[in-house]
Amino acid sequence: MASSSKTFYITTPIYYVNDSPHIGHAYTTLACDVTARFKRMDGYDVFFLTGTDEHGQKVEKSASLEGLDPKTFTDRVSQNFRDLTSEMNYSQDQFIRTTEERHQRCSQEIWKRLFKNGHIYLDKYAGWYAIRDEAFYHEKELINQTDGRKIAPTGAEVEWVEEPSYFFALSKWQDKLLNFYEQNPNFIAPKSRKNEVISFVSSGLRDLSVSRTSFSWGIPVPNDSEHIIYVWLDALSNYLTATGFPNEQDKKYKKYWPPDLHMVGKDILRFHAVYWPAFLMAAGMEPPKRIFAHGWWTNEGKKISKSLGNVINPRELRDQYGLDQVRFFLLREVPFGSDGDFSHESIVSRINNELANDLGNLVQRSLSMINRYYDAVIPEPSVLLDADKILLGKAGTLLEVNRAHFDVQAFHLALEAIWTVVRSANIYVDHQAPWKLIKENPTRAGTTLWVLANTIKQIALMLKPFIPISADKILDQLVVPKDFRNFTNFGQNHTEISGTKIPKPEGIFPRHLSEKDKTVKI
Ligand code: ME8
């Protein structure tokens, strides 16, 4: 596609390499991938970034538990996250690692700017720290356990830390942040999360410890090698590193900064919506445009955790159900932003009812009729009746409708909008009954099959960001040229499809036998 003046910079969190990727990581990156693909098809010049967060005490500890030095350990685990990107068919433009040299330069430059602008001072930290969250907690935030232990509100263990530390003067940013949220009402989404952030900031901000001295796996503080930069300041700056910063002449930096969307889970919203804009404003830089904090997946009603042994490996899920089936399920099942529960029963039901029955049957029966009655050539339309116009109209407006849904990350609504058309198309087939018309009124039968071919094409185009491989198979069956698989002229060129000779249709979404079905069979 020609180069575009519309740019879109989207990021995933960079994942800690203390552990293997699981469904939660796959979910966030999937949401970004679907957005990046949608925007590209819609003519945007997209920069989609993902990667790994490799410094800090948590990673250092995991490496030592494995008996490895942190570098060897992070090389290995980071590769698992990189592998996930191909296993899940993500289309990132860059995969960043915080152990790269360019990132050290970027992170240190931000530090220098904060220091030069008078926002960092040296003091001593004495307080609680949760290694699992890599976060400092105030005594009053902690929950007392019956056994006398204290835990963070996230459930993480905390430990008492006392060490020399540099501080970022976050307390000075309270009013500026509140003002920023007011001026930029779409900065934090969904709304409930935005309210949480505003109430957190309104209740008063304490200065933030931004360096550590009790371990060494991190980026050295410029001019004080006793300290390493706090892992969250290090990690957040990855979004700048990837654009070529500190080279402000870098084409990427000029083109893409500030990011259009940081996609995160609700657990790390505070870091992105409070600390990050404060760091950036203090360094004299533009904050991102939007942070979306999505909800949390549980597994069959239980929190996903290694200790419970119920971690869902995305690769295994893909092998069991199919890649696009998993991609579809994750964004279809749960309103994006809310928490969701994974269950085998629900994925099987989505696959069978919606992919195999609704969509699969629509494609299969429509194309089979073209194959059988029209020698596999998509027929010419004749006069369009109301029913034809209504269906084509519904399909043709999908782009406008879904642009609006994508603008607010309502992926579930985008899929629902597509499914409304899929269901309408199935009702149309049943009502029009082309298999009867072919005997009574062949011209009319041809028109209905042409309407269906067009509708299926629009459906497949709209589904392409979500289920790229399957949507391409549908578009292959309609012989839509690769160059036309985007949103240019969406819903307009209805007639160009007639006269196309199509291949013999093949099923795309096999039904999946549920455990119940399997039991019945035996
Ligand atoms: O927090 N449900 O990395 P992390 C949904 N390195 N999403 C989940 C999930 C679940 N059960 N579990 C994890 C970090 N996630 C930092 C980020 S960014 C500058 C630094 C997803 O490996 C979700 O996106 O702990 C969450 O925010 C992220 O993984 C946390 O990944």
Side-chain angles (χ1 to χ4, degrees):
M1 215 184 286
S3 79
S4 166
S5 55
K6 298 189 289 184
T7 61
F8 194 80
Y9 180 18
I10 181 167
T11 69
T12 74
I14 47 168
Y15 304 110
Y16 286 127
V17 290
N18 63 308
D19 208 349
S20 302
H22 68 65
I23 191 160
H25 308 118
Y27 182 58
T28 319
T29 314
L30 171 65
C32 293
D33 182 60
V34 169
T35 308
R37 288 174 184 272
F38 185 94
K39 291 281 180 188
R40 287 189 199 110
M41 286 178 75
D42 207 12
Y44 284 76
D45 174 339
V46 172
F47 181 36
F48 167 22
L49 175 71
T50 188
T52 44
D53 186 356
E54 307 192 8
H55 290 131
Q57 212 170 353
K58 168 148 105 171
V59 171
E60 192 186 70
K61 210 171 140 189
S62 302
S64 95
L65 283 174
E66 298 253 330
L68 293 172
D69 68 279
K71 182 72 180 93
T72 313
F73 177 75
T74 52
D75 283 349
R76 190 183 76 195
V77 186
S78 174
Q79 188 58 42
N80 295 338
F81 281 91
R82 202 185 280 262
D83 291 345
L84 180 75
T85 67
S86 46
E87 288 159 10
M88 294 298 290
N89 195 14
Y90 299 144
S91 61
Q92 76 277 357
D93 298 290
Q94 205 184 108
F95 186 99
I96 190 168
R97 300 183 56 189
T98 53
T99 45
E100 289 173 58
E101 205 268 326
R102 61 177 177 144
H103 176 68
Q104 169 151 336
R105 243 181 299 130
C106 171
S107 225
Q108 289 181 329
E109 175 60 25
I110 294 167
W111 179 283
K112 285 184 206 158
R113 290 187 185 197
L114 293 175
F115 195 81
K116 192 171 114 234
N117 295 349
H119 299 290
I120 284 182
Y121 62 91
L122 183 62
D123 201 340
K124 189 175 149 211
Y125 181 76
W128 298 100
Y129 192 77
I131 298 182
R132 197 187 83 186
D133 302 342
E134 295 283 19
F136 302 94
Y137 287 102
H138 193 268
E139 179 86 38
K140 67 179 184 216
E141 290 177 281
L142 301 178
I143 302 157
N144 289 314
Q145 300 287 84
T146 41
D147 60 7
R149 281 181 317 126
K150 289 174 189 294
I151 54 163
T154 55
E157 301 256 344
V158 289
E159 61 179 35
W160 185 257
V161 169
E162 274 190 40
E163 59 188 11
S165 174
Y166 284 95
F167 281 78
F168 173 72
L170 184 65
S171 54
K172 287 194 295 193
W173 288 88
Q174 180 174 353
D175 291 343
K176 291 189 192 93
L177 282 168
L178 290 172
N179 192 34
F180 176 74
Y181 303 146
E182 205 176 308
Q183 303 288 313
N184 299 278
N186 298 323
F187 177 65
I188 305 168
K191 212 168 168 189
S192 56
R193 304 256 168 255
K194 171 177 161 175
N195 294 339
E196 279 168 27
V197 170
I198 292 178
S199 97
F200 170 74
V201 175
S202 307
S203 70
L205 294 174
R206 282 172 299 117
D207 289 355
L208 180 71
S209 166
V210 284
S211 76
R212 304 290 313 270
T213 41
S214 49
F215 65 96
S216 59
W217 182 237
I219 296 176
V221 164
N223 304 320
D224 192 345
S225 56
E226 294 292 297
H227 293 249
I228 54 168
I229 299 177
Y230 170 42
V231 66
W232 268 101
L233 176 52
D234 160 347
L236 288 161
S237 56
N238 91 88
Y239 302 132
L240 271 165
T241 308
T243 67
F245 187 85
N247 176 7
E248 289 177 76
Q249 295 317 310
D250 194 294
K251 271 205 223 104
K252 273 208 166 60
Y253 177 74
K254 286 174 126 172
K255 191 151 77 163
Y256 297 116
W257 194 263
D260 293 274
L261 180 60
H262 287 316
M263 186 75 82
V264 297
K266 63 181 183 181
D267 56 327
I268 56 173
L269 178 59
R270 191 183 289 184
F271 300 94
H272 283 81
V274 182
Y275 304 161
W276 184 222
F279 291 152
L280 285 167
M281 290 193 265
M285 303 177 73
E286 248 187 292
K289 293 185 198 153
R290 184 170 168 89
I291 319 282
F292 190 102
H294 66 66
W296 215 238
W297 280 93
T298 48
N299 183 0
E300 313 266 358
K302 293 206 177 65
K303 186 175 180 310
I304 299 176
S305 91
K306 213 155 95 171
S307 52
L308 288 175
N310 66 350
V311 172
I312 304 167
N313 179 334
R315 188 189 305 142
E316 284 169 16
L317 211 55
R318 179 205 64 173
D319 292 346
Q320 186 172 1
Y321 295 109
L323 169 59
D324 280 344
Q325 283 79 351
V326 173
R327 290 178 57 113
F328 174 75
F329 169 78
L330 289 175
L331 293 180
R332 173 73 170 139
E333 181 70 4
V334 178
F336 198 71
S338 309
D339 292 338
D341 186 37
F342 175 86
S343 80
H344 288 279
E345 201 183 317
S346 36
I347 188 168
V348 169
S349 144
R350 291 279 177 196
I351 292 173
N352 289 346
N353 296 331
E354 300 191 337
L355 292 178
N357 288 359
D358 294 345
L359 178 61
N361 282 349
L362 172 68
V363 176
Q364 183 74 18
R365 60 183 176 157
S366 305
L367 301 189
S368 299
M369 285 189 276
I370 295 175
N371 199 61
R372 195 170 326 133
Y373 307 140
Y374 287 90
D375 217 6
V377 176
I378 301 177
E380 295 275 343
S382 169
V383 182
L384 294 185
L385 304 185
D386 280 354
D388 310 334
K389 290 185 201 153
I390 290 171
L391 183 60
L392 289 173
K394 279 187 187 164
T397 53
L398 270 181
L399 179 58
E400 273 319 301
V401 169
N402 280 359
R403 272 188 186 133
H405 289 324
F406 269 83
D407 278 347
V408 293
Q409 291 74 47
F411 308 112
H412 58 295
L413 295 183
L415 283 170
E416 181 52 33
I418 301 170
W419 245 256
T420 305
V421 178
V422 171
R423 287 190 291 256
S424 299
N426 274 321
I427 293 170
Y428 174 91
V429 184
D430 295 341
H431 284 181
Q432 301 300 321
W435 59 92
K436 278 193 207 149
L437 285 172
I438 195 71
K439 291 172 218 136
E440 305 151 10
N441 186 351
T443 314
R444 178 70 200 137
T447 303
T448 61
L449 291 174
W450 173 86
V451 167
L452 285 165
N454 267 302
T455 306
I456 292 168
K457 177 181 151 190
Q458 317 300 348
I459 289 170
L461 285 172
M462 289 313 298
L463 278 173
K464 197 164 143 62
F466 293 94
I467 49 171
I469 295 173
S470 311
D472 268 332
K473 281 190 190 156
I474 300 175
L475 294 167
D476 287 346
Q477 298 204 6
L478 287 168
V479 199
V480 175
K482 294 266 187 297
D483 288 354
F484 289 86
R485 297 183 185 187
N486 55 53
F487 298 148
T488 318
N489 299 327
F490 184 88
Q492 286 172 23
N493 289 336
H494 289 317
T495 40
E496 113 264 342
I497 205 165
S498 8
T500 308
K501 174 108 183 163
I502 59 167
K504 194 171 161 21
E506 272 170 34
I508 294 170
F509 302 106
R511 282 183 66 81
H512 197 93
L513 285 183
S514 69
E515 291 310 312
K516 267 190 244 140
D517 295 336
K518 284 180 196 159
T519 327
V520 172
K521 278 202 141 186
I522 293 162

